[in-house]
Amino acid sequence: MTTPHAPPDRSVVERTLGVLGAFDTAHASLTVSQISSRSHIPVATTYRIVSKLVSWGALERAEDNKYTIGLRLWEVSQLAPRHAGLRAAAVPAMFDLRSTTRRAVLLSTRDGTEGICLESVSGNARPLHRSWSRGHRFPLHATACGRVLLAAADTTVQDELYGGDLRTYTERTVHAPAVLRDLVAHTRRQGYAVSDGELLNGVVEIAAPIHGGDGAVLGALGLITVGTASTAVPDAVGPLLAAARRVSRSLSDLPAAPGDAVPSPRTARSRTPRPQGACA
């Protein structure tokens, strides 16, 4: 195995961020060797950085000589103001919606050309795709929440997504750019989106936008259930839209927090590309 070498101009901070960046939803537990390989930092340097991060609490030791993200880093991340108001306003409505529909409920927003789940409340839909768990990313083109967020995105973001590789997750996944454009336009007109077995066979997702006081879409509220769209959608759309309007009204009474708007197109270009399996 060839030892990775970091560029000589990488600072200590850059290398430390590289170590933390080695972790993602598909690689939540890593050995020092794996961190070294994924971050392109020599093993000896990686070990020193990992030891420092463990002592501070940013990383924690797990089984089999592996490491995971530590509680201290999670605590610090909770101080970030971005989307704090959205989450606070949405959580009560999410629990009420789960109680009414007996279905899993999720809150998400867009980060470049990916969606990210901010909160989720479990229901009776099993098995759930891990993209619908808090902190996990998901594809915009294959999910209802994603299409709601894509419908509100800048044309630059839309064009970047349509021009890329639209991964197929099931035989029902819409991956033709022209078809996806039409579905996104339809979502914008009707005010909600439906994904029927496109990310996971037999699982239906219904989503509606959440608006801020200025009318901008801040996120998407979604319902997840098993079955087919013909049976799941009719009874769920009304409660979902009512919950989304409730959250939007709550947000209209609050001052906008820094960064509460959906990210601008430059975010999509500045992110490091993730492996295709990161959200599957």
Side-chain angles (χ1 to χ4, degrees), residues 135-223:
H136 287 251
R137 294 177 178 271
F138 57 85
L140 297 182
H141 70 284
T143 59
C145 279
R147 288 178 190 157
V148 165
L149 297 169
L150 190 56
D154 186 281
T155 55
T156 305
V157 174
Q158 294 181 359
D159 291 342
E160 181 176 350
L161 186 70
Y162 298 146
D165 180 22
L166 298 178
R167 177 179 174 184
T168 299
Y169 294 89
T170 73
E171 67 278 2
R172 301 179 66 90
T173 303
V174 173
H175 58 276
V179 178
L180 182 59
R181 283 183 185 272
D182 289 343
L183 284 174
V184 170
H186 182 63
T187 295
R188 191 181 300 110
R189 290 193 299 271
Q190 76 174 359
Y192 67 90
V194 177
S195 172
D196 188 359
E198 293 183 50
L199 188 62
L200 192 67
N201 282 316
V203 176
V204 179
E205 179 188 359
I206 314 161
I210 295 174
H211 299 272
D214 60 355
V217 174
L218 301 181
L221 192 64
L223 275 176

Side-chain angles (χ1 to χ4, degrees), residues 163 186 191 241 266:
H186 182 63
L241 292 176
R266 63 181 174 83

Side-chain angles (χ1 to χ4, degrees), residues 216-234:
V217 174
L218 301 181
L221 192 64
L223 275 176
I224 308 293
T225 189
V226 294
T228 63
S230 60
T231 59
V233 174

Side-chain angles (χ1 to χ4, degrees), residues 19-251:
V19 167
L20 294 174
F23 295 86
D24 59 26
T25 55
H27 304 86
S29 180
L30 298 170
T31 64
V32 169
S33 178
Q34 290 169 332
I35 297 172
S36 170
S37 177
R38 287 177 56 78
S39 62
H40 304 291
I41 299 172
V43 173
T45 303
T46 299
Y47 181 78
R48 289 195 296 271
I49 294 173
V50 166
S51 297
K52 290 290 186 181
L53 290 173
V54 168
S55 66
W56 187 77
L59 295 180
E60 294 179 356
R61 290 185 178 88
E63 297 179 352
D64 300 325
N65 295 317
K66 291 187 175 182
Y67 295 84
T68 62
I69 295 297
L71 184 61
R72 181 77 179 275
L73 195 61
W74 179 84
E75 291 172 335
V76 172
S77 71
Q78 300 307 297
L79 302 176
R82 182 173 169 184
H83 302 307
L86 173 60
R87 292 169 64 182
V91 167
M94 292 174 68
F95 275 98
D96 289 345
L97 185 59
R98 192 274 303 271
S99 179
T100 300
T101 64
R102 310 305 300 173
R103 293 165 179 167
V105 184
L106 61 97
L107 172 70
S108 61
T109 191
R110 179 176 62 83
D111 186 16
T113 55
E114 292 180 303
I116 182 168
C117 182
L118 299 177
E119 290 288 353
S120 64
V121 180
S122 63
N124 63 353
R126 292 291 186 272
L128 284 178
H129 197 282
R130 66 181 180 184
S131 294
W132 296 314
S133 299
R134 189 170 77 170
H136 287 251
R137 294 177 178 271
F138 57 85
L140 297 182
H141 70 284
T143 59
C145 279
R147 288 178 190 157
V148 165
L149 297 169
L150 190 56
D154 186 281
T155 55
T156 305
V157 174
Q158 294 181 359
D159 291 342
E160 181 176 350
L161 186 70
Y162 298 146
D165 180 22
L166 298 178
R167 177 179 174 184
T168 299
Y169 294 89
T170 73
E171 67 278 2
R172 301 179 66 90
T173 303
V174 173
H175 58 276
V179 178
L180 182 59
R181 283 183 185 272
D182 289 343
L183 284 174
V184 170
H186 182 63
T187 295
R188 191 181 300 110
R189 290 193 299 271
Q190 76 174 359
Y192 67 90
V194 177
S195 172
D196 188 359
E198 293 183 50
L199 188 62
L200 192 67
N201 282 316
V203 176
V204 179
E205 179 188 359
I206 314 161
I210 295 174
H211 299 272
D214 60 355
V217 174
L218 301 181
L221 192 64
L223 275 176
I224 308 293
T225 189
V226 294
T228 63
S230 60
T231 59
V233 174
D235 294 336
V237 169
L240 172 64
L241 292 176
R245 288 193 294 268
R246 172 185 167 186
V247 178
S248 297
R249 285 195 298 269
S250 298
L251 289 168

